Amino acid sequence: MSLDENIFQQPSNKLLAALPASDYQRLLPHLKLVSLEVPQILYEAGELITQVYFPNKAMVSIVTTMEDSSTVEVGIVSNEGMVGIPVILGNRITTTTSFVQISGAAMQMNADVLTAEFNRGEALQNLLLCYVQAVYSELA
């Protein structure tokens, strides 16, 4: 088994790894292994989110721009989470900018697919809502 095949069989991303095997297998055809490189921008504030990312080894910074054009980091996502939370909260337009801080691999998924899977109301929805709550608690 090659390294790439192993990543698909045993996901490095903790959210994907926490899914029941049957749910993960249903998502698998929609996941694409991508390389994220510093200083790649995944989303700019105000952009439509078309892809979400589940980092494996990469680290992504989430920043907001202040009125004076300075930026403040409001979050960091690595293999414990996902980049693209607004998609599951019903808004595809991001208010923050997301860019790669540490290069590495991630699993990429079309935002429409994630929305459809989330709306099934099964384990993925529960897991992602718990993740959002954890992120919210961190910010609070």
Side-chain angles (χ1 to χ4, degrees):
M1 177 178 284
S2 76
L3 178 61
D4 287 353
E5 289 173 354
N6 191 39
I7 287 174
F8 285 103
Q9 295 306 316
Q10 298 174 346
S12 299
N13 179 278
K14 292 179 181 177
L15 284 177
L16 295 176
L19 286 171
S22 60
D23 289 18
Y24 179 67
Q25 290 300 316
R26 190 176 61 247
L27 295 180
L28 200 52
H30 306 287
L31 293 168
K32 176 182 175 186
L33 181 63
V34 296
S35 178
L36 302 180
E37 301 295 331
V38 173
Q40 180 180 353
I41 295 175
L42 302 180
Y43 319 120
E44 291 273 6
E47 281 186 353
L48 179 70
I49 299 174
T50 60
Q51 303 291 324
V52 297
Y53 299 86
F54 297 88
N56 294 336
K57 301 255 184 207
M59 185 169 62
V60 177
S61 285
I62 314 294
V63 298
T64 191
T65 303
M66 308 302 283
E67 285 183 15
D68 67 0
S69 297
S70 63
T71 58
V72 175
E73 187 171 63
V74 295
I76 297 173
V77 182
S78 191
N79 73 333
E80 82 295 338
M82 69 166 274
V83 182
I85 287 176
V87 169
I88 64 168
L89 297 178
N91 187 359
R92 295 276 178 93
I93 306 295
T94 181
T95 59
T96 57
T97 297
S98 301
F99 68 93
V100 180
Q101 279 278 34
I102 297 176
S103 297
M107 303 304 278
Q108 180 187 62
M109 178 186 283
N110 181 285
D112 290 332
V113 172
L114 181 65
T115 299
E117 289 295 324
F118 180 84
N119 288 337
R120 289 172 68 114
E122 297 175 2
L124 179 65
Q125 183 185 70
N126 187 52
L127 185 65
L128 292 179
L129 288 175
C130 286
Y131 174 66
V132 170
Q133 182 179 16
V135 170
Y136 180 76
S137 295
E138 240 179 55
L139 293 173

